Amino acid sequence: MSHETDLVAKAQNRSAAFGVIGLGYVGLPLAVELARAGYRVVGFDLSSDVVSAVNMGKSHVQDVPAPGRSRQARGDAGDGSAG
């Protein structure tokens, strides 16, 4: 199997994992939508306050509602965490 075919298969069966660097106005909404789509997502940010808030299910970005730690917000088909 080629790398391209393997990547497409992982995208289709939601076994691909994504890393999002920076959980600001671009990164946090991206990470949330990827998790909602069923992918495993790991977010990285230099601010320990941002990391702690995201891991508690809180949003510091006005356009991203604080979802709590609900199944949909975590993307239980996938998973999300920050570090």
Side-chain angles (χ1 to χ4, degrees):
M1 185 180 287
S2 73
H3 291 293
E4 180 181 345
T5 304
D6 187 39
L7 183 58
V8 169
K10 286 182 178 185
Q12 290 173 335
N13 68 21
R14 300 297 195 259
S15 66
F18 289 87
V20 178
I21 300 172
L23 298 175
Y25 291 96
V26 174
L28 185 59
L30 176 62
V32 167
E33 290 306 315
L34 286 167
R36 284 185 179 152
Y39 295 101
R40 184 175 188 295
V41 180
V42 178
F44 300 90
D45 200 281
L46 292 176
S47 169
S48 60
D49 291 339
V50 167
V51 170
S52 294
V54 168
N55 282 330
M56 291 188 308
K58 297 179 181 176
S59 173
H60 63 286
V61 176
Q62 186 175 6
D63 294 336
V64 178
R69 294 292 286 181
S70 69
R71 286 179 61 111
Q72 184 179 14
R74 282 194 322 261
D76 265 1
D79 189 18
S81 63

